[in-house]
């Protein structure tokens, strides 16, 4: 899969989601389904969007004991999504179990990526709440390397970390980066942001863009602008 823009469909109902996707008549964007929509509408929503011809990143961030994650992944593999994720903090054993569960009897599987440290976690909170004393960027790189050793395909990370992840893990290790904003747009609650052009320059493989597209007056134009700045 090449560089692409993934739209975060952070909606809480089927109706809202489908009326948003109906606006895209010419293209079938890659979409991200997160916890909000999945918990509201369940696996049927995933099947329906897939049947409409979209690629899907199922962003459920699994984190549990290895056996439970393995079993959950072996259910998710039947949804025929393109990309799924988990928390690297679940350890290498959990990531290896996840890969096992995700692999279908014919050897195929969706791509599997790991969340390192959430972009909402600060150095201070990591030290105080998690008792991790190392610098945040070192922790992110260590988690990325561990994910790679476990056999995963890449990580979700801040666009600011994508270049370094590629240096450490190689350019074919995927970086999927949220926190993207247009130069002239609102930042909202994201703290460390980058424009699609900057994310391209730094080497992100996929950008995940939510509100700059979903809340735009013209979502299709906003999506096309992202594609122009990031992919073309
Ligand atoms: O609306 P916005 O562009 O901020 O949406 C970004 C999407 O990426 C949201 O679905 C958010 O949950 C997700 N995300 C994030 N930061 C992370 C991981 C996921 O913003 N570290």
């Amino acid at each position: 899969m090449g560089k692409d823009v993934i739209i975060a469909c952070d909606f809480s109902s089927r109706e809202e989601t489908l009326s948003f996707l109906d606006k895209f008549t010419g293209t079938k964007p890659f979409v991200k389904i997160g916890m909000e929509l999945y918990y509201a509408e369940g696996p049927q929503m995933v099947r329906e969007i897939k049947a409409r011809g979209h690629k899907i990143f199922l962003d459920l961030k699994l984190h549990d004991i290895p056996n439970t994650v393995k079993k959950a992944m072996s259910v998710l593999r039947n949804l025929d999504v393109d990309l799924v994720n988990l928390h690297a903090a679940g350890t290498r054993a959990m990531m290896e179990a996840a890969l096992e569960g995700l692999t279908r009897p014919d050897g195929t599987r969706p791509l599997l990526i790991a969340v390192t440290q959430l972009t909402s976690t600060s150095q201070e909170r990591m030290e105080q709440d998690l008792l991790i004393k190392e610098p945040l960027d070192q922790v992110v790189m260590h988690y990325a390397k561990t994910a790679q050793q476990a056999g995963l395909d890449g990580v979700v990370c801040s666009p600011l970390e994508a270049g370094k992840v590629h240096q450490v893990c190689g350019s074919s290790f995927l970086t999927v980066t949220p926190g993207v904003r247009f130069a002239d747009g609102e930042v909202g609650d994201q703290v460390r942001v980058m424009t699609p052009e900057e994310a391209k320059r730094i080497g992100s493989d996929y950008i995940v863009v939510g509100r700059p597209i979903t809340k735009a007056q013209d979502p299709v134009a906003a999506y096309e602008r992202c594609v122009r700045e990031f992919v073309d």
Side-chain angles (χ1 to χ4, degrees):
M1 297 205 285
K3 277 189 186 297
D4 211 347
V5 174
I6 303 178
I7 304 179
C9 285
D10 293 323
F11 302 113
S12 57
S13 74
R14 173 179 180 274
E15 291 67 32
E16 227 185 318
T17 308
L18 295 185
S19 79
F20 172 76
L21 293 178
D22 281 343
K23 297 182 202 299
F24 294 83
T25 49
T27 46
K28 296 283 183 190
F30 201 137
V31 303
K32 178 172 91 71
I33 298 177
M35 293 185 203
E36 183 183 3
L37 183 58
Y38 191 80
Y39 292 150
E41 299 289 351
Q44 190 49 35
M45 188 75 253
V46 177
R47 293 189 194 97
E48 198 169 347
I49 296 176
K50 189 75 197 176
R52 286 171 162 238
H54 297 270
K55 283 188 176 168
I56 295 177
F57 168 21
L58 190 57
D59 178 21
L60 298 181
K61 299 188 179 72
L62 277 69
H63 188 174
D64 208 318
I65 59 171
N67 186 58
T68 301
V69 170
K70 179 179 168 181
K71 299 277 189 194
M73 287 294 187
S74 67
V75 173
L76 294 181
R77 77 184 186 204
N78 297 323
L79 288 177
D80 197 24
V81 295
D82 300 277
L83 195 56
V84 282
N85 64 356
L86 46 64
H87 272 284
T91 76
R92 181 171 172 166
M94 188 202 79
M95 293 192 269
E96 287 171 350
L99 265 184
E100 238 182 276
L102 200 59
T103 305
R104 304 182 186 101
D106 67 359
T108 63
R109 62 167 175 82
L111 292 172
L112 180 60
I113 60 177
V115 176
T116 53
Q117 283 291 347
L118 292 169
T119 48
S120 52
T121 303
S122 64
Q123 180 75 38
E124 190 191 8
R125 294 268 56 96
M126 194 178 68
E127 288 181 12
Q128 289 184 12
D129 300 353
L130 309 180
L131 214 63
I132 299 173
K133 304 291 185 193
E134 281 73 19
L136 184 57
D137 66 328
Q138 271 183 35
V139 176
V140 168
M141 296 313 141
H142 180 68
Y143 282 22
K145 274 190 277 184
T146 308
Q148 187 174 41
Q149 284 159 5
L152 270 68
D153 304 294
V155 287
V156 185
C157 62
S158 146
L160 298 155
E161 293 154 355
K164 190 137 183 234
V165 168
H166 279 144
Q167 276 174 22
V168 169
C169 298
S171 58
S172 59
F173 194 64
L174 299 175
T175 54
V176 179
T177 61
V180 174
R181 291 294 180 265
F182 291 122
D184 52 0
E186 279 175 34
V187 172
D189 59 350
Q190 293 284 12
V191 181
R192 299 186 303 151
V193 297
M194 259 194 194
T195 65
E197 265 172 332
E198 287 168 331
K200 176 183 182 174
R201 214 171 312 130
I202 218 155
S204 296
D205 296 289
Y206 295 90
I207 51 173
V208 176
V209 188
R211 288 158 293 178
I213 295 175
T214 57
K215 302 275 185 234
Q217 272 200 334
D218 184 344
V220 177
Y223 170 72
E224 285 169 352
R225 179 175 171 193
C226 273
V227 172
R228 255 194 328 273
E229 292 187 8
F230 180 68
V231 185
D232 296 345

